[in-house]
């Protein structure tokens, strides 16, 4: 028997700001199937940097809900592993080290722009406009004198100076992608309140954890050029990326905590069986022809990224019929 570990390493990286709903469950299932179909190692990483949004205890609930779905992981907050800790809140020293390096190499600069402007950036990657408005780079051009003046009245955020060139990539689901030069503009790697930016933390962790394959939701497709720019700045090869479909509620908006009935906890209370949920999710995403009850292990043989929907999927009005007896 060959006991060598598979070189494929994937991850599911939820933000434990709420429990799982069908949309997160779909992303978790697809990320898991991609890894398991390749005989790879699955990493679970809690992206809990934004402490005010992440209530204590939610990470444990998310793990319990994943286990209920039939998803497992080889490395994670509860089981540990060679690249731990697996909670971002316990990895701050690594992010600081990375920021120091970017600072030394003159790739980041302080930004003193107003709170209102920063807020639209702080809510990324979950803002309505994906990555938010493109920053015009005005603080990049400040003189040393101007910086000193502003520094006296305001704590700056730190922005990564996005190289003005395209970062094309071949997405495993969406196909070839090309965003314009400087895609999205200079982005925040550390907020003025001291919280490390999503893009930086994800890239530092994907490097440190040896992630080879990222499978995540479509809402992060436009984050990818920024992450590719960070990989390049750190001199590391990027992983392969694939972005799966978002689920939309009956009202056409992206599933969120507002759609209470699509939370896994609400479905469980109504008697939903996990294999019905996973079988239905796989069918919704395009992997199977029928919404049959199938546990994640039974779905591995259906894995085929070419079949995965390339657009958001709206819940049909009768969706609960498939999941609840
Ligand atoms: N933590 C991010 C989220 O919950 C996902 C990050 C990623 O997969 O790159 O949306």
């Amino acid at each position: 028997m060959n006991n060598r570990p598979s070189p494929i390493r994937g991850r599911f990286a939820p933000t434990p700001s709420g429990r799982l709903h069908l949309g997160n469950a779909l992303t978790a299932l697809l990320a898991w199937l991609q890894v398991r179909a390749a005989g790879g190692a699955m990493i679970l990483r809690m992206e809990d940097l934004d402490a005010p949004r992440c209530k204590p205890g939610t990470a444990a609930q998310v793990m319990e809900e994943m286990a209920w779905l039939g998803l497992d992981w080889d490395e994670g907050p509860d089981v540990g592993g060679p690249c731990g800790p697996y909670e971002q809140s316990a990895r701050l020293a690594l992010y600081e080290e990375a920021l120091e390096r970017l600072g030394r190499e003159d790739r980041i600069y302080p930004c003193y722009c107003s709170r209102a402007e920063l807020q639209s950036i702080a809510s990324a990657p979950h803002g309505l406009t994906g990555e938010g408005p493109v920053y015009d780079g005005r603080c990049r051009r400040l003189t040393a004198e101007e910086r000193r003046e502003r520094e006296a009245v305001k704590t700056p955020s730190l922005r990564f100076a996005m190289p003005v060139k395209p970062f094309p990539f071949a997405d495993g689901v969406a196909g070839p992608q090309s965003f314009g030069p400087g895609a999205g503009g200079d982005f925040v790697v550390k907020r003025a309140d001291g919280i490390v930016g999503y893009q930086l933390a994800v890239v530092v962790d994907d490097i440190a954890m040896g992630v080879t394959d990222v499978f995540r939701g479509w809402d992060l497709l436009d984050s990818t050029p920024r992450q590719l720019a960070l990989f390049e700045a750190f001199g590391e090869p990027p992983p392969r990326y694939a972005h799966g479909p978002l689920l939309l509620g009956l009202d056409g908006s992206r599933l969120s905590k507002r759609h209470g009935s699509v939370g896994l906890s609400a479905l469980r209370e109504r008697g939903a069986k996990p294999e019905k949920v996973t079988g239905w999710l796989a069918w919704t995403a395009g992997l199977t022809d029928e919404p049959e009850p199938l546990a994640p292990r039974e779905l591995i043989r259906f894995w085929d990224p070419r079949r995965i929907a390339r657009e958001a999927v709206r819940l049909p009005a009768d969706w609960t019929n498939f999941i609840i007896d």
Side-chain angles (χ1 to χ4, degrees):
M1 212 177 99
N2 179 0
N3 279 329
R4 254 181 319 162
S6 157
I8 300 290
R9 290 173 63 78
R11 78 329 186 258
F12 177 55
T15 303
S17 57
R19 300 170 71 161
L20 295 185
H21 55 61
L22 286 174
N24 319 122
L26 174 61
T27 301
L29 173 64
L30 295 177
W32 186 93
L33 286 173
Q34 184 192 47
V35 168
R36 294 297 182 225
M42 183 71 188
I43 302 166
L44 177 63
R45 182 170 76 222
M46 287 296 160
E47 305 215 320
D48 57 352
L49 280 181
D50 196 342
R53 284 179 60 217
C54 299
K55 287 173 246 84
T58 308
Q61 287 170 337
V62 166
M63 289 192 275
E64 195 275 327
E65 287 174 333
M66 287 180 65
W68 178 79
L69 284 171
L71 303 174
D72 62 355
W73 48 94
D74 307 294
E75 301 171 29
D78 53 342
V79 291
C83 308
Y86 292 89
E87 293 101 342
Q88 289 192 325
S89 55
R91 302 176 63 81
L92 299 181
L94 276 168
Y95 310 137
E96 285 306 326
E97 219 176 274
L99 284 169
E100 270 165 39
R101 173 168 170 191
L102 294 176
R104 273 197 311 274
E105 295 173 6
D106 221 14
R107 292 181 181 273
I108 53 177
Y109 62 88
C111 170
Y112 304 91
C113 287
S114 75
R115 197 182 174 82
E117 277 165 293
L118 287 178
Q119 253 163 7
S120 57
I121 294 146
S123 61
H126 301 289
L128 287 177
T129 50
E131 277 300 321
V134 175
Y135 182 63
D136 62 7
R138 69 185 68 168
C139 286
R140 192 169 171 175
R141 297 183 288 270
L142 295 177
T143 62
E145 173 67 30
E146 285 169 327
R147 275 191 187 150
R148 263 194 306 278
E149 275 167 25
R150 310 259 173 119
E151 194 85 34
V153 284
K154 190 177 182 307
T155 311
S157 61
L158 295 177
R159 278 184 194 274
F160 179 77
M162 191 70 184
V164 185
K165 63 173 198 173
F167 285 92
F169 64 101
D171 191 86
V173 172
Q177 300 296 308
S178 58
F179 291 81
D186 300 347
F187 57 92
V188 172
V189 285
K190 189 173 188 179
R191 287 170 18 182
D193 62 7
I195 294 182
V196 173
Y198 154 74
Q199 314 285 358
L200 181 87
V202 156
V203 169
V204 168
D205 287 348
D206 284 344
I207 292 171
M209 296 180 179
V211 170
T212 60
D213 291 81
V214 169
F215 195 106
R216 58 189 178 188
W218 201 275
D219 52 320
L220 295 169
L221 188 69
D222 62 359
S223 281
T224 308
R226 294 176 164 193
Q227 295 177 19
L228 291 172
L230 284 172
F231 274 97
E232 186 181 84
F234 291 125
E236 297 284 346
R240 290 176 284 265
Y241 288 96
H243 293 82
L246 299 180
L247 286 187
L248 307 180
L250 298 175
D251 60 358
S253 70
R254 193 177 152 203
L255 289 194
S256 73
K257 279 177 270 178
R258 284 179 299 116
H259 303 89
S261 61
V262 297
L264 290 191
S265 50
L267 290 172
R268 282 164 79 173
E269 273 163 31
R270 293 169 68 192
K273 297 277 176 298
E275 61 278 10
K276 282 206 156 184
V277 175
T278 49
W280 181 81
L281 285 171
W283 170 72
T284 300
L287 283 180
T288 53
D289 293 328
E290 300 286 338
E292 331 163 45
L294 287 168
R297 293 223 160 264
E298 300 168 306
L299 284 164
I300 294 174
R301 66 196 162 93
F302 293 99
W303 174 254
D304 179 356
R306 288 167 305 186
R307 289 196 58 162
I308 295 177
R310 292 192 187 86
E311 53 191 31
V313 178
R314 199 169 173 146
L315 290 181
D318 58 351
W319 66 275
T320 48
N321 296 350
F322 295 107
I323 295 182
I324 298 167
D325 293 318

